[in-house]
Amino acid sequence: MQLLATVLPLQAPPQKRPHDNLERAARGALAKLSGGVSPHAFIEAWSDWAQHLARSPARQMELAEGARQNLLKVMALAASPGSLPPFPPKPCDKRFAHPGWQTFPFRLWQQGFLAVQDWWDEATEPMRGLRREDGDRTRFLARQTLDMLLTLGAGQVASGPVRA
């Protein structure tokens, strides 16, 4: 036993880096913000989608035309409030079930949101060369961002047509 101690001097365990706790706290905060999903995954998906869109002038023109058409539909509804809304909510979307959403100005806000949602659904359709998982992730991220903006916007306009 003494022979080992003289041949191999005992070394103190390696010291922790002094700022490890700061790094751990920063990563924990980022995980809370992203729901535990890697920020790299977000960036990679958006980047892949954006680069493929940037290299596709025909797709860009289609999306520009789609945005113009959606805007004209919402403007036509604003000019003729009694007409049928051009963008029905998806069957699973119960946020607009209250009849108050059919009254002015909430109907226009609803239709504006649904028009943007429709555009993003089209914008995140599969593109040639785009990895399927990046397209799916981009669609999911766009939907989550839109839903968050709807929630924030509804809070700014007296929580939509219904107050609890």
Side-chain angles (χ1 to χ4, degrees):
M1 187 77 104
Q2 281 183 333
L3 182 60
L4 279 177
T6 57
V7 175
L8 298 170
L10 293 177
Q11 294 180 359
Q15 294 290 325
K16 279 183 145 180
R17 293 178 36 214
H19 303 296
D20 276 349
N21 288 339
L22 175 62
E23 189 170 313
R24 191 174 297 113
R27 287 182 181 198
L30 187 58
K32 266 187 168 178
L33 285 174
S34 68
V37 178
S38 165
H40 174 73
F42 289 136
I43 294 166
E44 180 184 24
W46 279 109
S47 177
D48 190 26
W49 174 79
Q51 288 179 31
H52 280 84
L53 182 61
R55 292 189 303 259
S56 181
R59 184 82 169 129
Q60 293 172 31
M61 289 176 65
E62 289 171 5
L63 292 174
E65 290 169 0
R68 182 183 62 79
Q69 289 171 354
N70 286 4
L71 175 62
L72 290 174
K73 289 176 184 178
V74 173
M75 289 174 64
L77 179 67
S80 182
S83 61
L84 289 174
F87 301 99
K90 295 182 190 253
C92 62
D93 192 350
K94 304 298 182 206
R95 293 175 293 185
F96 302 114
H98 189 276
W101 280 106
Q102 298 309 313
T103 62
F104 183 81
F106 300 109
R107 186 179 204 187
L108 287 178
W109 291 329
Q110 173 212 48
Q111 289 298 297
F113 171 81
L114 293 173
V116 171
Q117 179 178 278
D118 179 73
W119 184 87
W120 270 106
D121 283 347
E122 177 65 25
T124 55
E125 282 291 315
M127 281 187 278
R128 183 175 181 202
L130 178 65
R131 289 184 4 195
R132 182 166 186 80
E133 58 270 12
D134 285 344
D136 292 345
R137 191 173 292 140
T138 302
R139 178 178 290 240
F140 174 78
L141 293 172
R143 176 59 60 88
Q144 295 302 305
T145 303
L146 287 174
D147 289 348
M148 180 186 66
L149 292 174
L150 175 67
T151 303
L152 292 174
Q156 294 299 316
V157 291
S159 299
V162 181
R163 267 193 168 256

